[in-house]
Amino acid sequence: MQNNMNYEFRPKPPKKSVSPKAVGRAVVIAAVILVIFSVLGTCWYTVDEKQQAVITTFGKVTGTAGAGMHFKLPFGIQQVDKVNVNVYQKIEIGYRSNGSDSTSVEKESKMITGDYNIVNVDFFVEYKVSDPVKYLYSSAEPELILKNLVQSQIRNVIGSATVDSVLTDGKAEIQQKVKELITAELMEYDIGLALTDIKIQDSEPPTTSVIEAFKNVETAKQAAETLINQAKAYQNSELPKAEASADQLIRNAEYLKQKRINDAAQQVAMFEAMYSQYAKNPDITRVRMYYEALTEALPGVKLYINIAESGSTDMLLPLESFANNGGTK
């Protein structure tokens, strides 16, 4: 078979050469774009919720910023320092914790009490940054200042307390006094830190025998508290009964009192009524009273009264009683 297809060969066009000026222009444009993005990248910063930013312009504090994205001047004109303000931080006095383990620092924990006894006391201190500007620029090491201040006030308070209060029931009062003193000192120093809490982690005497003695004292106090609570429970159960009995006695007494008053008032009324009758007819009333008195004095006895013409009583004999006695003889 004959191939009738015709092929046409065309030469390839020559490649265009890139001029050095175009290359240089592209490099400059890329560099400019890179610089622009770099500058824009330094103009923005973010602050999280636990932080507060302090902005300085040419080294001078010009403002603060809270959480979020913010703008600043580039090329080092403005600098930003971020400070953790919403984070509680701690200082350990007398010990150092490492996870679940702790190591004693005796030079910090050993103290002397007001009654010249030696004790080992560990404190846990909690604080936070209250003013980021003063925290950064008022002092070189604010945490070290706070730690030294805490140790000073702790020894001041422990040095005025008794060993019993330090080891047993005076811990809450000691903590409160130390906190008040440190808070007052921090206000005076004004280093941008605020004390939030301070607690006694542990307190014990330096010798084993004294430790055992204080444990026995604590056990005795707990036993005493148990007995007191039992006594209060008994008091609470018996007191209502006693109050009810006392209330009943009082009511009975008031009843008897009122009854006596009523009886007396009745007797007074009877006397006044009798006296009014007596005043009207003295003789008749006197005789009637005489008969009533005889009836009360000799109940159940029949009396025969002989009254003379003058109206006076001449003879009073229990004639019926004498007659009955004579009949039985």
Side-chain angles (χ1 to χ4, degrees), residues 39-46 69-73 80 82:
V39 171
L40 290 175
T42 60
C43 290
W44 300 95
Y45 65 95
T46 57
M69 182 176 289
H70 305 277
F71 173 80
K72 69 180 181 68
L73 297 177
V80 176
K82 301 175 184 178

Side-chain angles (χ1 to χ4, degrees), residues 114-315:
D115 50 359
Y116 304 104
N117 287 286
I118 296 175
V119 292
N120 291 331
V121 188
D122 299 336
F123 279 84
F124 174 80
V125 181
E126 190 176 66
Y127 70 97
K128 70 175 183 177
V129 177
S130 59
D131 189 326
V133 176
K134 293 178 181 178
Y135 172 76
L136 291 174
Y137 300 108
S138 291
S139 60
E141 297 181 78
E143 284 87 359
L144 180 60
I145 294 175
L146 176 60
K147 183 176 181 180
N148 292 335
L149 181 61
V150 169
Q151 287 181 302
S152 174
Q153 297 303 330
I154 285 174
R155 294 184 180 277
N156 182 21
V157 175
I158 296 295
S160 61
T162 64
V163 65
D164 289 337
S165 62
V166 175
L167 298 177
T168 55
D169 57 355
K171 295 180 181 179
E173 183 179 358
I174 291 172
Q175 291 171 176
Q176 184 64 28
K177 286 183 178 179
V178 172
K179 185 176 181 179
E180 291 174 356
L181 291 173
I182 295 173
T183 301
E185 290 292 330
L186 283 176
M187 292 179 63
E188 183 176 351
Y189 278 77
D190 201 17
I191 57 176
L193 295 178
L195 182 70
T196 57
D197 195 15
I198 182 167
K199 293 180 179 178
I200 296 178
Q201 289 291 95
D202 190 22
S203 61
E204 60 181 11
T207 60
T208 306
S209 59
V210 179
I211 292 175
E212 292 298 326
F214 275 101
K215 285 183 178 179
N216 293 335
V217 171
E218 195 66 26
T219 302
K221 287 184 178 180
Q222 292 177 359
E225 290 179 358
T226 302
L227 293 175
I228 291 173
N229 292 333
Q230 291 175 354
K232 287 182 178 179
Y234 178 77
Q235 176 186 358
N236 294 333
S237 65
E238 295 297 324
L239 187 60
K241 299 178 183 178
E243 289 177 348
S245 178
D247 184 66
Q248 183 177 2
L249 292 174
I250 291 172
R251 290 182 183 275
N252 290 337
E254 290 178 351
Y255 168 76
L256 293 175
K257 170 186 174 183
Q258 192 63 39
K259 186 175 181 300
R260 294 276 181 92
I261 292 173
N262 294 337
D263 291 344
Q266 184 179 5
Q267 291 178 5
V268 169
M270 291 176 62
F271 178 81
E272 290 178 349
M274 188 180 298
Y275 179 76
S276 63
Q277 295 298 324
Y278 176 80
K280 295 177 181 178
N281 301 290
D283 296 335
I284 296 174
T285 303
R286 187 164 42 246
V287 172
R288 181 174 63 82
M289 291 176 64
Y290 179 71
Y291 292 158
E292 290 176 355
L294 288 176
T295 302
E296 292 180 1
L298 302 171
V301 178
K302 291 184 178 181
L303 302 178
Y304 297 89
I305 302 172
N306 184 16
I307 300 177
E309 295 179 356
S310 61
S312 61
T313 302
D314 291 340
M315 181 175 59

Side-chain angles (χ1 to χ4, degrees), residues 42-62:
T42 60
C43 290
W44 300 95
Y45 65 95
T46 57
V47 182
D48 64 30
E49 295 179 353
K50 295 182 179 180
Q51 296 176 330
Q52 193 169 1
V54 178
I55 302 102
T56 57
T57 304
F58 296 114
K60 182 179 180 181
V61 177
T62 55

